[in-house]
Amino acid sequence: MLIKELIVFEALKIEPSEIELAKHSKSPQTLDSLYKLTNHKFKLRFLYSLAGNTYSPKSVLEELSNHEYWGVRINVARNPKCPAEILDKLSSDPDTDVRLAVAHSYNCTLGVLQKLSNDNYISVRLAANDTSYRIGSAKGKAFENSSR
């Protein structure tokens, strides 16, 4: 898949940097290969892009959710395709901003949102309550529409 992606970048006359591939690739295989083959320990922009890409495989998001730098973990939590079990783990992160990003995610289980609604920081509590309300309202509206 990596060769196919490079051909697309060539056709678009884009220099296929690791960051561009991590940001725009729609192939989980390409993203997984990039993560494994790239010496990325100190390339935070690359990791931010990879963490935020909705096509990043679950295995990559799982590894990035353990990254030492909080900014990478925040982008994992902000990823709209981040699985609930990773969000569950990140809901106990020592960094307030990571927990806040989790509290804003619609992929959270209601149990995680309930836990975050008791967080020490009011911003996390408010976000968790708001997300919980929005999820509940959306489910209520879907139920109303399906019963008509």
Side-chain angles (χ1 to χ4, degrees):
M1 277 305 215
L2 188 55
I3 292 174
K4 191 175 180 183
E5 301 269 332
L6 290 173
I7 291 169
V8 170
F9 276 96
E10 177 62 29
L12 296 173
K13 302 293 183 216
I14 297 172
E15 186 62 36
S17 71
E18 294 167 344
I19 294 169
E20 290 302 312
L21 282 171
K23 193 183 294 182
H24 300 294
S25 177
K26 293 183 178 179
S27 165
Q29 296 86 2
T30 299
L31 294 167
D32 191 48
S33 296
L34 265 176
Y35 181 72
K36 290 176 181 170
L37 296 174
T38 306
N39 180 12
H40 51 70
K41 182 168 176 133
F42 299 104
K43 296 183 179 182
L44 290 177
R45 286 183 57 207
F46 168 73
L47 295 176
Y48 288 157
S49 297
L50 195 59
N53 188 318
T54 58
Y55 292 95
S56 288
K58 180 181 174 182
S59 60
V60 171
L61 293 176
E62 182 67 45
E63 284 191 48
L64 293 175
S65 71
N66 295 315
H67 196 272
E68 63 186 287
Y69 190 64
W70 58 269
V72 174
R73 298 191 312 272
I74 286 174
N75 273 9
V76 170
R78 287 179 179 163
N79 187 323
K81 299 285 177 124
C82 186
E85 57 269 18
I86 294 175
L87 292 168
D88 184 21
K89 183 182 79 169
L90 288 173
S91 71
S92 299
D93 196 276
D95 188 273
T96 306
D97 291 326
V98 174
R99 294 193 313 276
L100 182 61
V102 171
H104 282 292
S105 176
Y106 290 131
N107 292 341
C108 277
T109 63
L110 290 176
V112 167
L113 292 170
Q114 179 65 39
K115 177 175 102 174
L116 291 172
S117 70
N118 295 311
D119 195 88
N120 290 334
Y121 289 86
I122 191 165
S123 58
V124 175
R125 291 194 307 263
L126 290 173
N129 287 331
D130 182 60
T131 302
S132 182
Y133 174 77
R134 289 172 189 259
I135 289 173
S137 293
K139 286 182 180 176
K141 286 179 185 175
F143 180 74
E144 278 180 19
N145 291 337
S146 68
S147 63
R148 288 183 184 175

